[in-house]
């Protein structure tokens, strides 16, 4: 519920902000559908409980996301990312047959320096904070993971093929591990997502 309230308030602030500005001289508005791709070694421990014994397995996670960005003036950019929540990943093997399928969803708020190598080749360097929440599909005895706040840094490059269209690739690095825990009484880490994400995207300018 806390995560939903945070997400709702963030969307409201974003809508009001975008509605209050118009892309005039020196201003830029846009959206950017992207993928968040992580190769997760999942270096956690085997856990034995009254229900089963589970061991970690490596997995690749691919999350869909949408970025809203606003550049109020040259070289300054603010962005809001919404991502994940719809795709589950098998993260452990189990003696009881449970798949330990997990999904991750979140919102990120950041700022960046927006520069350019040339008229069509742009770059961005920045950072911010992500609010993340994990969810299990088929392990009802596990508690829902709490929302965590992670600081991150991100560097990206974009080829702006047209005035209102571009393609980009960014590297995002979370400065704190993304861990999904066991239930409250036995707080073992069951899933650990990689701190490094590759984020290909397309960009649409207004």
């Amino acid at each position: 519920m806390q995560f939903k309230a945070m997400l709702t308030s963030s969307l409201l602030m974003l809508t009001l902000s975008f509605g209050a500005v118009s892309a005039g001289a020196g201003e830029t508005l846009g959206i950017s559908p992207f993928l968040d791709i992580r190769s997760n070694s999942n270096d956690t421990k085997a856990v034995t409980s009254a229900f089963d014994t589970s061991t970690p397995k490596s997995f690749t996670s691919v999350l869909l996301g949408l970025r809203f960005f606003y550049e109020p003036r040259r070289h300054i950019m603010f962005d809001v990312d919404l991502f994940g929540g719809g795709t589950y990943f098998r993260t452990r093997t189990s003696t009881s047959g449970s798949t330990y399928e997990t999904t991750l969803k979140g919102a990120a708020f950041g700022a960046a320096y927006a520069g350019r190598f040339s008229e069509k080749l742009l770059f961005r360097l920045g950072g911010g904070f992500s609010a993340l929440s994990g969810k299990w599909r088929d392990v009802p005895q596990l508690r829902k993971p709490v929302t965590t706040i992670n600081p991150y840094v991100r560097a990206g490059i974009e080829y702006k093929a047209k005035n209102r269209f571009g393609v980009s690739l960014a590297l995002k690095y979370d400065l704190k591990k993304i861990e999904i825990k066991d239930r409250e009484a036995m707080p073992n880490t069951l899933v650990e997502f990689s701190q490094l994400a590759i984020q290909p995207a397309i960009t649409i300018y207004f």
Side-chain angles (χ1 to χ4, degrees):
M1 187 65 66
Q2 182 183 6
F3 181 84
K4 289 183 178 179
M6 183 186 301
L7 191 57
T8 301
S9 62
S10 300
L11 284 171
L12 180 59
M13 286 190 298
L14 182 68
T15 302
L16 292 175
S17 298
F18 272 52
V21 298
S22 59
E27 292 183 327
T28 303
L29 292 170
I31 58 173
S32 185
F34 68 92
L35 297 176
D36 183 283
I37 305 170
R38 300 172 190 254
S39 178
N40 307 290
S41 57
N42 196 18
D43 294 326
T44 57
K45 298 178 180 179
V47 176
T48 299
S49 69
F51 304 99
D52 71 350
T53 296
S54 68
T55 54
K57 67 184 297 289
S58 59
F59 64 100
T60 299
S61 57
V62 181
L63 301 171
L64 293 173
L66 185 63
R67 179 172 302 125
F68 303 84
F69 64 89
Y70 171 52
E71 296 181 27
R73 62 183 65 182
R74 188 178 182 185
H75 299 317
I76 298 176
M77 186 181 80
F78 300 100
D79 54 60
V80 175
D81 293 359
L82 306 175
F83 56 89
T87 305
Y88 286 82
F89 312 101
R90 187 167 185 172
T91 60
R92 302 178 73 85
T93 58
S94 165
T95 56
S96 68
S98 296
T99 60
Y100 284 88
E101 291 184 334
T102 311
T103 191
L104 190 70
K105 64 180 178 180
F109 312 87
Y113 175 85
R116 60 179 65 224
F117 296 114
S118 66
E119 183 179 349
K120 292 191 174 184
L121 192 59
L122 318 179
F123 70 90
R124 297 180 178 93
L125 300 171
F129 292 88
S130 297
L132 302 161
S133 179
K135 183 180 179 182
W136 298 99
R137 169 178 278 176
D138 66 344
V139 193
Q141 67 268 26
L142 298 181
R143 69 176 177 86
K144 286 187 177 182
V146 296
T147 299
T148 61
I149 306 297
N150 278 23
Y152 70 87
V153 292
R154 181 163 54 198
I157 190 168
E158 177 184 339
Y159 176 67
K160 194 173 181 181
K162 302 289 185 180
N163 188 43
R164 296 186 178 273
F165 177 80
V167 292
S168 66
L169 182 66
L171 294 178
K172 178 184 178 184
Y173 187 79
D174 291 291
L175 300 179
K176 188 172 74 172
K177 289 183 178 180
I178 303 172
E179 298 176 328
I180 297 180
K181 304 285 186 178
D182 200 335
R183 54 197 179 281
E184 293 284 4
M186 298 174 61
N188 301 296
T189 298
L190 295 185
V191 183
E192 189 176 284
F193 283 82
S194 172
Q195 291 171 258
L196 179 65
I198 300 173
Q199 296 184 326
I202 61 173
T203 304
I204 301 170
Y205 294 89
F206 299 137

